[in-house]
C-alpha cells in the first residue's frame, strides 16, 4: 500500500525511462502548537530502472523532524535524503513522516521500478469529489512504464484505455487489475478498492515497509489511512503508550511476542468498526 501497507511487487523490467511522476496519493496536515499546519510532501526524479539513482526533494512545511522509509529496507532522518537505488524490480511505497513536537503529517507515493525491457504495471487512484461511499466514481491513473497497451479488469469487465474512470454503484471491496503489455510481454498490478455504504468513518492503517519482524523497544510508526474521520482511538496491547488519540502515533513493545494494534475512527458522534492487526516483536 505493505508489511501491511499494500506492496504488490511488480516483477517488471524496462528500458531507460526518465520521468518524474508526482501523482499525489496522500497528504495529511496537522496543526502544530502555534496553529500553523504541518504539511508532509516530497517530489522525486530519476530513471525508473533498477540501480538508477532516484532523488527525493523534501517540500514539507512547518516541520523540523523527518522520517523517510523508501520501501526497500532503507530509511533516513535527513531533511533531504541521499539518492536511493532500488536493486530489484517492484512497486515501492515511499513514506515521509514530517513532525514538530508531538504533531505529525504523512505523505506517501508509490513508484514502479523496472529493468531491462519488460513492462512494469502500476496505478494510483482517487475518489471523485472525495466521495468514497456508494455510488462512488473512482479516477484511476495509469503509472505503468515501458508498455504500449493496457488492459483493466473490474468485476469481470475489461477495458483497454490508458487511464480509467469507473463508477461503483454498490458498497464493497472490488479487485482491480491493470495489465501492461509490450509485444508478447505483460505484467499485472492488482489493488483492492473499498467503497463504503455511507459517509460514516472507516478505520484503516498500515505500517511503512520494514524488514520484519520488529524488535523490542523499536519505535514503530503507524500510518493512519482512515476515511471520513476527524478523531481516532488507538489501543496497543501491552504497548508504550497503551493508547493514543494522535492521527499517526508511534508505539514500542518492551518484550518479545505477538501484539494487537486496534484503531477506531470517529466523526462527531459516529464511530467506525474496530480495525486490528497483529504484529510480531522479536
Amino acid at each position: 500500500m505493505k508489511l501491511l501497507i499494500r506492496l504488490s511487487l511488480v516483477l517488471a523490467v524496462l528500458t531507460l525511462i526518465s520521468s518524474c511522476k508526482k501523482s499525489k496519493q496522500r497528504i495529511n496536515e496537522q496543526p502544530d502548537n502555534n496553529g500553523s499546519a504541518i504539511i508532509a510532501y516530497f517530489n522525486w526524479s530519476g530513471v525508473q530502472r533498477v540501480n538508477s539513482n532516484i532523488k527525493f526533494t523534501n517540500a514539507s512545511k512547518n516541520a523540523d523532524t523527518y522520517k523517510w522509509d523508501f520501501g526497500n529496507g532503507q530509511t533516513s532522518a535527513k531533511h533531504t535524503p541521499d539518492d536511493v537505488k532500488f536493486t530489484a524490480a517492484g512497486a515501492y511505497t515511499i513514506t515521509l513522516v514530517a513532525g514538530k513536537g508531538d504533531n505529525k503529517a504523512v505523505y506517501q507515493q508509490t513508484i514502479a521500478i523496472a529493468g531491462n525491457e519488460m513492462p512494469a504495471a502500476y496505478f494510483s487512484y482517487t475518489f471523485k469529489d472525495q466521495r468514497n461511499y456508494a455510488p462512488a466514481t473512482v479516477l484511476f491513473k495509469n503509472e505503468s512504464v515501458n508498455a504500449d497497451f493496457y488492459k483493466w479488469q473490474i468485476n469481470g469487465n475489461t477495458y483497454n484505455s490508458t487511464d480509467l474512470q469507473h463508477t461503483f454503484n454498490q458498497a464493497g471491496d472490488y479487485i482491480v487489475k491493470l495489465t501492461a503489455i509490450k509485444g508478447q510481454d505483460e505484467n499485472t498490478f492488482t489493488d483492492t478498492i473499498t467503497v463504503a455504504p455511507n459517509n460514516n468513518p472507516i478505520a484503516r492503517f498500515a505500517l511503512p515497509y520494514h524488514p520484519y519482524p520488529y524488535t523490542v523497544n523499536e519505535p514503530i510508526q503507524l500510518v493512519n489511512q482512515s476515511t471520513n474521520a476527524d478523531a481516532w482511538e488507538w489501543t496497543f496491547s501491552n504497548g508504550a503508550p497503551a493508547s493514543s488519540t494522535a492521527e499517526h502515533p508511534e508505539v514500542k513493545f518492551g518484550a518479545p511476542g505477538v501484539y494487537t494494534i486496534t484503531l477506531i475512527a470517529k466523526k462527531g458522534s459516529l464511530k467506525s468498526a474496530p480495525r486490528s492487526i497483529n504484529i510480531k516483536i522479536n
Side-chain angles (χ1 to χ4, degrees):
M1 126 72 310
K2 288 179 184 175
L3 357 157
L4 301 164
I5 269 182
R6 293 183 300 252
L7 282 173
S8 302
L9 288 183
V10 181
L11 300 176
V13 230
L14 126 121
T15 54
L16 186 68
I17 292 185
S18 179
S19 65
C20 181
K21 297 186 178 179
K22 301 181 179 66
S23 61
K24 302 174 185 177
Q25 288 198 345
R26 182 175 176 84
I27 297 178
N28 288 338
E29 298 184 7
Q30 288 295 319
D32 64 21
N33 293 332
N34 296 320
S36 56
I38 299 175
I39 300 174
Y41 187 67
F42 64 83
N43 297 310
W44 65 271
S45 61
V47 178
Q48 292 171 259
R49 190 173 65 176
V50 165
N51 290 323
S52 293
N53 286 334
I54 303 295
K55 181 178 183 62
F56 293 92
T57 302
N58 193 338
S60 302
K61 296 181 179 180
N62 303 320
D64 53 21
T65 61
Y66 307 94
K67 290 183 179 179
W68 296 84
D69 192 307
F70 300 103
N72 62 349
Q74 294 178 256
T75 61
S76 176
K78 295 181 179 180
H79 175 275
T80 301
D82 298 333
D83 290 356
V84 176
K85 288 185 178 181
F86 297 91
T87 59
Y92 295 89
T93 297
I94 317 303
T95 303
L96 171 61
V97 181
K100 186 174 184 180
D102 293 330
N103 296 302
K104 297 176 183 177
V106 175
Y107 178 66
Q108 290 185 311
Q109 192 174 157
T110 301
I111 61 176
I113 299 294
N116 297 335
E117 297 184 358
M118 292 185 66
Y122 180 70
F123 65 83
S124 58
Y125 66 90
T126 57
F127 287 94
K128 186 177 180 180
D129 301 323
Q130 298 184 329
R131 179 186 175 121
N132 69 326
Y133 53 95
T137 297
V138 180
L139 308 176
F140 294 95
K141 180 176 175 58
N142 188 338
E143 300 189 53
S144 304
V145 289
N146 202 39
D148 299 320
F149 302 99
Y150 307 97
K151 180 174 67 176
W152 297 85
Q153 292 176 292
I154 305 175
N155 291 342
N157 297 316
T158 299
Y159 309 92
N160 296 112
S161 58
T162 301
D163 296 324
L164 183 66
Q165 176 175 308
H166 186 84
T167 298
F168 299 89
N169 292 309
Q170 304 294 327
D173 292 332
Y174 297 90
I175 296 175
V176 179
K177 295 182 180 180
L178 171 62
T179 300
I181 304 166
K182 182 180 182 182
Q184 299 299 312
D185 298 317
E186 60 182 50
N187 178 255
T188 299
F189 177 81
T190 301
D191 207 348
T192 300
I193 311 301
T194 298
V195 177
N198 49 47
N199 200 27
N200 290 345
I202 298 176
R204 285 189 168 192
F205 66 95
L207 302 90
Y209 176 86
H210 188 283
Y212 281 107
Y214 287 96
T215 57
V216 169
N217 288 324
E218 177 180 355
I220 300 171
Q221 177 67 60
L222 298 166
V223 178
N224 194 335
Q225 298 176 327
S226 301
T227 55
N228 304 325
D230 53 20
W232 303 272
E233 292 180 356
W234 298 85
T235 55
F236 310 110
S237 61
N238 296 311
S243 62
S244 177
T245 57
E247 184 174 4
H248 306 288
E250 270 189 358
V251 63
K252 299 179 182 179
F253 297 94
V258 177
Y259 299 93
T260 300
I261 299 174
T262 300
L263 170 63
I264 295 175
K266 299 163 58 176
K267 183 179 181 181
S269 61
L270 299 174
K271 288 188 177 183
S272 71
R275 181 66 62 96
S276 298
I277 63 170
N278 292 327
I279 186 169
K280 184 177 180 181
I281 305 296
N282 273 4

